[in-house]
Amino acid sequence: MIVSATDLPSDPELVAAWCGGDELAAAQLVRRHAAALTRYLAGAGAASSEVEDLVQETFLKAFRGLSGWRGGGSLRGWLFRIASNLLKDRFRQSKGRVFLEINDQDLPDHSDPAGELAASEAEQQLREGLSRLPHMQREVFLLRVQQGMEYTDIAGVLGTTPGAARVHYHHAVKRLKEWMG
Amino acid sequence: MIDCSELSGRMPDVIAGRSEWSAEEARHLTECDVCAAEWRLVRIGSVLYAGREVATERMVQDVLVRLRAGEPVALVPRLSWRKFAMGLAAAASVALAVWVPNRAHQSAVMALPARLGPVLPNLSNVTDEQLYRISLANAGHLADGVPGTVPHLGGLTAADLEQLSSLTETR
Ligand SMILES: [Zn+2]
């Protein structure tokens, strides 16, 4: 049986089900958002060995505090906000060290070997460039480009204004373009 | 006339499928070096870490188990046995250094950290087995070397705790 996207329960429906004690709803939410959170945290500089733990912590914190999510913004945005704060705590504990790691196994799998090599090099360059940005520029860039979010939602995630997020984005792009030559 | 900054602002929206290029804009992206470089950057950024594997089902199980257990959300990374042993050994040495019950035992207690001195600075190089022995040995000193009560964190001053936490910091 083919299930179309419109047949799938929405995030607010799953949240309501979880609040009513339905564990399967929580499982469904993890399946839906784990990959995006993983990519975001990896790009934001979490140590490779800590990404999975941070994603789990994000879900635990979210599931225990769903009353804090009003349903006004997207659930994913709220999850990113929790993840971003958890990552900030980790950075604080490690005295600001950014754990950006270059790891070949994280690179996309492409069928074209020549294209894959070029993409790998470019992606590694971008990872290095990101690690050199101030954290707000790095996170705004990721939320905007990697996660495809709009400035209003980004502002909600990072606790800033859409205008400020836009400025951070432009600074990030300028510096990354210079870095990537 | 193409406005480069307008194109720049729309690039992430095109990637996300909220907008699309006209034929003229698409041609501009191949002809204008500034826009071409940025469009390349945005496309690479959009697939950043896309190849990273996520063990989703295992994560689902782990999260459900932790939810059922009512495990509190860790504000610090969960410690491995090795880190725990290093912390325990360091904490034991500090507790010995700062806890002086009375004059009669002062000289004996103050001598202990000096005895541990050659060992503790090299903790990062010792094996798990050695760490285990150090932690056992220190626990032994606490219990055997000083009769009466064993020092506990509640008896330490704020300065002692600060010193303790800086020594047990794992990163
Ligand atoms: Zn242009």
Side-chain angles (χ1 to χ4, degrees):
Chain A
M1 188 180 95
I2 296 171
V3 179
S4 75
T6 50
D7 294 332
L8 296 173
S10 66
D11 282 351
E13 286 168 338
L14 289 171
V15 166
W18 159 249
C19 290
D22 181 357
E23 271 194 357
L24 289 177
Q28 188 68 17
L29 286 168
V30 174
R31 287 189 191 100
R32 187 172 289 178
H33 299 291
L37 283 167
T38 299
R39 291 183 63 204
Y40 170 64
L41 285 165
S48 203
S49 57
E50 288 192 355
V51 170
E52 189 176 323
D53 191 42
L54 279 165
V55 175
Q56 283 194 30
E57 296 292 341
T58 300
F59 282 116
L60 287 174
K61 208 165 180 183
F63 289 145
R64 292 191 185 125
L66 274 169
S67 55
W69 178 57
R70 307 270 177 249
S74 71
L75 179 74
R76 179 166 290 189
W78 191 60
L79 290 171
F80 280 130
R81 182 174 190 142
I82 294 171
S84 173
N85 286 333
L86 285 171
L87 186 60
K88 242 181 277 172
D89 289 343
R90 292 277 169 105
F91 284 158
R92 216 170 284 136
Q93 286 154 13
S94 60
K95 297 175 176 61
R97 192 157 64 91
V98 174
F99 299 106
L100 196 123
E101 294 170 359
I102 308 301
N103 188 343
D104 286 343
Q105 70 191 27
D106 292 338
L107 296 172
D109 180 25
H110 296 291
S111 51
D112 168 23
E116 184 184 342
L117 182 64
S120 301
E121 286 170 2
E123 186 170 339
Q124 289 201 31
Q125 233 186 333
L126 176 55
R127 292 181 193 185
E128 288 173 25
L130 279 171
S131 74
R132 286 165 171 78
L133 293 182
H135 92 92
M136 279 296 268
Q137 288 181 23
R138 181 168 59 238
E139 294 200 35
V140 168
F141 179 85
L142 287 169
L143 291 171
R144 181 86 178 118
V145 171
Q146 184 199 51
Q147 301 298 328
M149 291 173 76
E150 305 210 48
Y151 288 119
T152 328
D153 298 323
I154 294 171
V157 171
L158 299 176
T160 184
T161 62
R166 191 184 293 270
V167 171
H168 285 306
Y169 176 78
H170 285 293
H171 283 306
V173 166
K174 185 171 180 288
R175 292 173 75 161
L176 288 171
K177 268 162 77 178
E178 286 167 6
W179 172 255
M180 304 211 27
Chain B
M1 181 69 187
I2 299 285
D3 176 357
C4 295
S5 65
E6 197 269 335
L7 249 58
S8 162
R10 272 173 51 217
M11 285 180 186
D13 295 321
V14 172
I15 291 282
R18 288 189 295 266
S19 177
E20 56 184 35
W21 301 131
S22 67
E24 189 188 4
E25 289 169 339
R27 194 170 53 249
H28 178 85
L29 289 174
T30 62
E31 293 168 351
C32 170
D33 289 345
V34 176
C35 288
E38 185 166 334
W39 181 228
R40 178 172 172 269
L41 169 68
V42 169
R43 280 182 298 152
I44 297 165
S46 71
V47 294
L48 194 66
Y49 289 98
R52 178 156 185 137
E53 284 195 16
V54 185
T56 311
E57 288 313 310
R58 198 187 67 220
M59 189 176 290
V60 166
Q61 292 312 315
D62 286 352
V63 169
L64 291 182
V65 166
R66 292 174 72 182
L67 276 173
R68 286 180 203 131
E71 189 184 317
V73 177
L75 292 176
V76 293
R78 283 175 290 163
L79 293 178
S80 64
W81 147 247
R82 188 180 173 81
K83 287 177 180 173
F84 175 75
M86 288 174 72
L88 180 63
S93 71
V94 175
L96 287 170
V98 299
W99 182 70
V100 183
N102 57 48
R103 288 270 170 206
H105 295 117
Q106 185 167 352
S107 58
V109 173
M110 293 304 277
L112 287 173
R115 189 141 44 92
L116 292 170
V119 177
L120 290 171
N122 298 314
L123 279 176
S124 57
N125 297 323
V126 301
T127 64
D128 286 352
E129 171 68 17
Q130 287 169 315
L131 281 169
Y132 180 67
R133 288 183 187 284
I134 291 167
S135 61
L136 280 187
N138 287 346
H141 289 316
L142 287 170
D144 303 337
V146 185
T149 58
V150 172
H152 53 86
L153 290 178
L156 301 179
T157 66
D160 297 334
L161 286 169
E162 180 66 32
Q163 190 186 0
L164 181 64
S165 69
S166 69
L167 272 172
T168 54
E169 192 105 48
T170 54
R171 285 185 193 277

